[in-house]
Amino acid sequence: MKKKLTILCLFIFVLVGILLIDGCKKSDFTPATPLSFVVPQGFPTTVYNFQNNPLTEEGFLLGRKLFYDGRLSKDGNFSCASCHQQLAAFTTFEHDRSHGYNNAHTLRNAPGLFNLAWVPAFRQDGSATTIEQVALAHITSPVEMGETISSIIAKIKDDAAYKTMFGAAYGTEIITQEKILNAITQFVVSMVSANAKFDKVQRGEVAFTAQEQNGYTIFQSKCATCHAGNLFTDFSCRNTGLQIDPILNDFGRVRVTGNKNDSLKFRVPSLRNLEATSYYAHDGRMSVFRMMIQHYRNGVNPGATVDPLVADGIAMTNTEENDLVAFLRTLTDTAFINNPRFRE
């Protein structure tokens, strides 16, 4: 009996010691610094739920490090930033589709990453509902990063910098899938683009040229239904009359819903930073954005699910096209593209 009591006391002593050591480890880290998210003038209310993943400076910095780390891919060659490059407003610079693990290519053109706090559904077919879901899909896709979260954790768990950064962000060095995805989300959801010439005009700081103003008038009458508001998208999925690529055979949202009425429908992209985000269309088939305008003028292919707004084309003169191009260039946010806070 005495021996059992001794063993029990020893067990309790060891358990208390472990808890004290763990408590000391946690006390080494000061609470993370909260970050406020500022909604720009003229923007609607965000849809992202910040309460589920509160922004902190330490979480943002950890997310940035993960975003640029090639170890998140199977062979170490593909970070998130491989397909989302800052000089191209965080899309793939001058590529129709992105390169991935094992010489693979993605099915679709990588969208630019900005103003994600307002996006209700992600991916070009609207198949994802959270940024975390998208990040996990990219990491585990065999044609993108081709990795598993457990393997990533094994690769970085003994990294001194990550130990410090996870501790600073979460109060403990222990790495989990949730923490990785939440940190990446904190970084990318902080990417707000709202300081293009268009925004400065809206704030009364500068004025459009006569050509830009004409282009804005044309845009409002011919384009703003789909590319709505200061986000320049209504987030709907639409068939804009592009022919199916016979090799890719990507039928868009119908792959998600199974509804034939969704055939060839893709999410309406934001037009912000348009000049920097070539190539264009869901599969990157257009090398310059003027080609998209010309498609709407005279290249729309008929089909059962083509959006009525473009089914008969969009009437426009050459002068109007030039003016529209001039306006669209005012949506380029060089401050965002060159922001050192988002740089590696």
Side-chain angles (χ1 to χ4, degrees), residues 121-149:
F122 301 89
R123 305 179 75 89
Q124 298 211 38
D125 54 16
S127 58
T129 57
T130 68
I131 301 172
E132 293 85 352
Q133 184 182 353
V134 175
L136 181 61
H138 288 321
I139 289 169
T140 58
S141 169
V143 299
E144 295 182 53
M145 298 166 81
E147 191 50 291
T148 64
I149 296 293

Side-chain angles (χ1 to χ4, degrees), residues 49-69:
N49 189 342
F50 289 98
Q51 290 185 339
N52 290 343
N53 185 18
L55 293 183
T56 66
E57 177 66 11
E58 293 78 8
F60 172 91
L61 294 175
L62 173 60
R64 183 173 69 185
K65 182 173 176 60
L66 289 163
F67 185 86
Y68 285 101
D69 194 340

